[in-house]
Amino acid sequence: MWTNSMLKENAKSVLKNFYWMAVLALVIVSVVTGLVNNIPNWVSGTPSAASSVTQAIDAAKDGEISDSEMQAIQAASAASSGVGSVLGSILSIAITFFVINPLSVGTCKFFIEARSGSVEIGNLFYAFRKEHYLNIVKTLAIMTVKVFLWSLLFIIPGIVKGYAYCLTPYILAENPIIDSKRAMEISEQTMNGEKMNFFVLQLSFIGWWILVLFTCGLGSYFLNPYIKATETEFFMCMKAKANSSNIAQYGELPEAGFAGGMGGFDPNAGFNPNAGFQNNGYDPNAGYNPNAGFQNTPYDPNAGMGSVDPYNQTPAQPQNDSFNAPSEGTSQNDSNKDDFNFQ
């Protein structure tokens, strides 16, 4: 059974090997996220519309334009702002689906692989590979919409669903081609009975977040790797639960073997049940010779018994130096007397 302290100790132990790379990785993610989130504001044109209204008000004060012209300018500005807001919202949603969500999968991939000793910044963009990009986008888009719809029911159901699906990015990081429905099913079933535990785990970092406030937020860049590494350890425990309880089917969540002494144990790591067998069909007699070791020699009932006279049936004398047959002319009794020294 895992505990919060155990997960944190594991995270610290693992993080020693790539802490500064983890800081750099999360800084990159933060910068990319900030840039793409500002794109809707640039595209919407809201600042230019506001500037036009300001200029019109100044001109009206100077008497350069009439009140009717002023109202027309305000109406056009409002329409422009409305269209810009709609376009900005659509673009924001698209950016979330096509950039932010895949980037979250890449972050999970980075920490999972770094845990096994493979520290590569390129793993941050793992989800953008063409062979599985669309599946990741589709899965996380469905998840995001579901959480949003549940949030419409007084917020709390949305929070609960968010915790139920929190393993989905990690599952996609491990198996990017898994079916969308299965990815969310595995996450939801695995998190049964674990949502409050995960909430308490996240809440245990509140002391660190209070300290971050005194650094004007800069401390978050150094705290986030620790939190993310701890959440990765939580996922590894949940993956073991999913596999051991058959929530995940064989191959849906690959087990981790030993990696640098830090990975989990996989009893089947490297095992190929068909190794050494040729696909040539089954031959029950392959290599079997029923006559192996037998000579095709006729049966001899006297084999091994010495030579026997078939007429007088006098057996051959055994070869025993300690036995002396009685000489000719000496009776058996005389021989016995000699042997036992009878007088």
Side-chain angles (χ1 to χ4, degrees):
M1 177 61 185
W2 61 272
T3 61
N4 289 349
S5 59
M6 183 192 77
L7 297 182
K8 289 182 177 181
E9 287 301 319
N10 288 349
K12 291 176 184 177
S13 177
V14 170
L15 205 55
K16 289 178 182 178
N17 300 297
F18 64 97
Y19 175 74
W20 291 109
M21 287 293 289
V23 171
L24 175 61
L26 293 185
V27 167
I28 292 173
V29 171
S30 178
V31 170
V32 172
T33 302
L35 289 175
V36 297
N37 279 334
N38 279 322
I39 292 177
N41 293 332
W42 302 334
V43 173
S44 63
T46 301
S48 60
S51 177
S52 298
V53 173
T54 302
Q55 293 175 0
I57 293 174
D58 292 338
K61 290 180 179 179
D62 296 336
E64 297 179 0
I65 60 175
S66 64
D67 292 339
S68 60
E69 292 175 335
M70 178 64 186
Q71 291 175 357
I73 292 174
Q74 289 178 336
S77 177
S80 175
S81 297
V83 172
S85 297
V86 171
L87 291 176
S89 298
I90 294 174
L91 189 58
S92 179
I93 293 172
I95 288 173
T96 299
F97 287 168
F98 292 98
V99 180
I100 304 300
N101 285 346
L103 199 58
S104 68
V105 173
T107 304
C108 296
K109 183 68 173 179
F110 173 84
F111 278 88
I112 291 173
E113 293 298 321
R115 182 179 183 272
S116 301
S118 176
V119 184
E120 297 181 10
I121 295 296
N123 284 329
L124 292 174
F125 307 100
Y126 166 80
F128 293 94
R129 297 177 183 175
K130 62 180 181 180
E131 59 267 23
H132 47 243
Y133 173 68
L134 291 180
N135 185 63
I136 290 174
V137 169
K138 180 184 72 172
T139 303
L140 294 184
I142 293 172
M143 183 196 75
T144 303
V145 170
K146 281 188 173 183
V147 172
F148 171 75
L149 293 177
W150 279 100
S151 298
L152 298 179
L153 302 176
F154 303 105
I155 307 299
I156 301 300
I159 296 175
V160 173
K161 278 297 178 181
Y163 276 96
Y165 295 143
C166 69
L167 301 180
T168 305
Y170 284 97
I171 294 172
L172 290 170
E174 290 270 72
N175 185 359
I177 61 174
I178 190 172
D179 180 70
S180 302
K181 183 179 179 181
R182 280 297 296 154
M184 289 183 285
E185 282 179 355
I186 292 172
S187 178
E188 188 170 18
Q189 293 175 19
T190 305
M191 287 300 291
N192 281 339
E194 306 289 351
K195 299 182 190 70
M196 182 56 68
N197 294 331
F198 188 45
F199 173 74
V200 172
L201 175 63
Q202 291 180 317
L203 196 63
S204 66
F205 292 100
I206 190 170
W208 287 103
W209 283 115
I210 292 174
L211 292 177
V212 166
L213 295 177
F214 293 98
T215 65
C216 299
L218 294 177
S220 62
Y221 292 108
F222 304 97
L223 175 62
N224 283 333
Y226 176 37
I227 295 176
K228 196 63 181 179
T230 304
E231 291 179 351
T232 303
E233 293 300 315
F234 173 80
F235 166 72
M236 300 307 290
C237 291
M238 293 301 99
K239 183 172 79 166
K241 173 185 175 182
N243 284 324
S244 62
S245 59
N246 294 323
I247 294 173
Q249 298 175 4
Y250 179 77
E252 288 183 326
L253 280 181
E255 290 282 358
F258 285 112
M262 298 180 291
F265 174 67
D266 178 12
N268 296 320
F271 174 68
N272 180 2
N274 297 317
F277 291 91
Q278 301 296 326
N279 190 20
N280 295 325
Y282 171 66
D283 182 5
N285 297 317
Y288 173 65
N289 183 3
N291 297 317
F294 292 92
Q295 301 295 326
N296 190 16
T297 305
Y299 173 67
D300 183 4
N302 297 318
M305 298 181 60
S307 60
V308 178
D309 186 351
Y311 298 102
N312 59 19
Q313 299 296 313
T314 303
Q317 300 299 329
Q319 302 298 317
N320 190 342
D321 294 340
S322 63
F323 176 76
N324 295 319
S327 61
E328 191 176 329
T330 304
S331 66
Q332 184 69 30
N333 291 335
D334 291 340
S335 176
N336 290 339
K337 288 179 181 180
D338 293 339
D339 289 342
F340 294 99
N341 296 322
F342 285 150
Q343 301 298 326

